[in-house]
Amino acid sequence: MAAMGQVILSQALLSADAKDREFEAAVRDHARYVYRVAQAVLRNHHDAEDAVQESFLRFLRQQRSRAEIRNPRAWLARTAWRVALDRRRQTVAVSLEEAVGVVSTLRAAGASAEEVAAHNQMLALVERLIASLPRDLRDPLTLSTVEELTSAEIGEVLGIPEGSVRERVSRARSVLSEKLAGWLEKSHGR
Amino acid sequence: MDDNEKRLVDELLAASLRHYAGGEPPSGLEGRVLAGVRARQEAARRRTAWAWAVGIAAAAAVVTLLVIAWPRHQPAPMPLTAKAPASLSAPAVTKITAPVQPTVARLSHRPAQPMRVDTRPQQFPTPRPLSEQEKLLLLYAQALRGSSAAPAPEANQDSEHDLEIPPISITAIKIEPLAPVGSGDDK
């Protein structure tokens, strides 16, 4: 009887130990990827890191509850997306006119597209333009900015088919391009 | 907008979307995540332990209060009985029991218990007819008493003689008349 108890206890300890190792491996493998998903929504380093911790905490609870996670990467992306949406706050409003003015100035000065894109005003401008999109276009486009996410994974996170993801991302880009061109043209004409 | 301009806008948009997701996460992210998750897990465990402790304490308090406040079982009142004295020279005992109390209001929810009838005999131990051995012993004792009681009258007579009191003779008391002592001489 005592021997059986020892066997059960040692198995439980081994199981807990194995789960701890599994959890640490998951953090090592997916923390950065989860961070990018959260960052794409929250646009803030501290908020994104909090969202990553919350996502991994939920992952750990799921592991402890003996529920099977077939694809930890997809599970974590979906969880991080939901956590980030719950935590998303209204970003500081940036004047579109001011942002477009800075971008036009940079372009006129001969800055490359990459240089202009890295500028804070350009990022604020893109953020405002994305926020103005309808949700069914905004969500796939936001997730598509995370390089590691494939269309299939985006579809899994949002619960839509892969084909729909591609179609919506393409449409969203087209709408953004038109809006950006319109703003730049307006700024150039002043 | 000409094609060249359109191409530039597309490039700008593509580059902006690449930057949109942010650059590399800050170094040490994994360590911070692990430490943060463990700290939050420990805090949650402590909260759970406290919740259990408070819950158990509250349950114990409720049980204690119930035990204290629950009405105790009271014995049913005995009926007032006055029985006839037993046939075997037992002294008549009138058993007086406590008067019948009205049912206590807080016991009203309990089913009424039937009145118990006192069937116990009035004498203890219970008198019963003599057994054969007891009867033989009694006869033997009587016979023995009869043989030893025969000379008793003589003894009684002797004692009566011994105790015969002679008639009392009382001598008459003679009282001399009082003579006045030296009554005339003194004067």
Side-chain angles (χ1 to χ4, degrees), chain A residues 61-78:
Chain A
R61 284 184 194 144
Q62 189 79 1
Q63 263 190 335
R64 295 272 156 92
S65 69
R66 297 175 187 274
E68 191 187 2
I69 300 174
R70 277 183 229 160
N71 185 350
R73 182 182 156 91
W75 192 97
L76 280 165
R78 196 165 52 246

Side-chain angles (χ1 to χ4, degrees), chain A residues 93-160:
Chain A
V94 177
S95 164
L96 271 178
E97 287 79 8
E98 188 189 345
V100 171
V102 171
V103 170
S104 296
T105 309
L106 285 170
R107 287 186 68 205
S112 68
E114 203 63 37
E115 285 168 341
V116 175
H119 203 277
N120 283 341
Q121 292 291 346
M122 184 63 204
L123 284 176
L125 178 59
V126 171
E127 197 175 327
R128 286 289 301 270
L129 291 175
I130 290 176
S132 69
L133 290 172
R135 188 168 181 179
D136 63 330
L137 299 183
R138 187 177 64 224
D139 288 351
L141 181 72
T142 304
L143 284 171
S144 74
T145 62
V146 181
E147 286 178 5
E148 293 99 327
L149 274 175
T150 62
S151 297
E153 285 171 335
I154 293 171
E156 200 171 331
V157 169
L158 297 176
I160 53 175

Side-chain angles (χ1 to χ4, degrees), chain A residues 37-44 47-48 51 84-85 87-89 91:
Chain A
V37 173
Q39 171 72 2
V41 180
L42 295 166
R43 319 286 308 136
N44 176 289
D47 290 348
L85 284 183
R87 291 174 174 233
R88 183 159 62 181
R89 292 177 290 203
T91 51

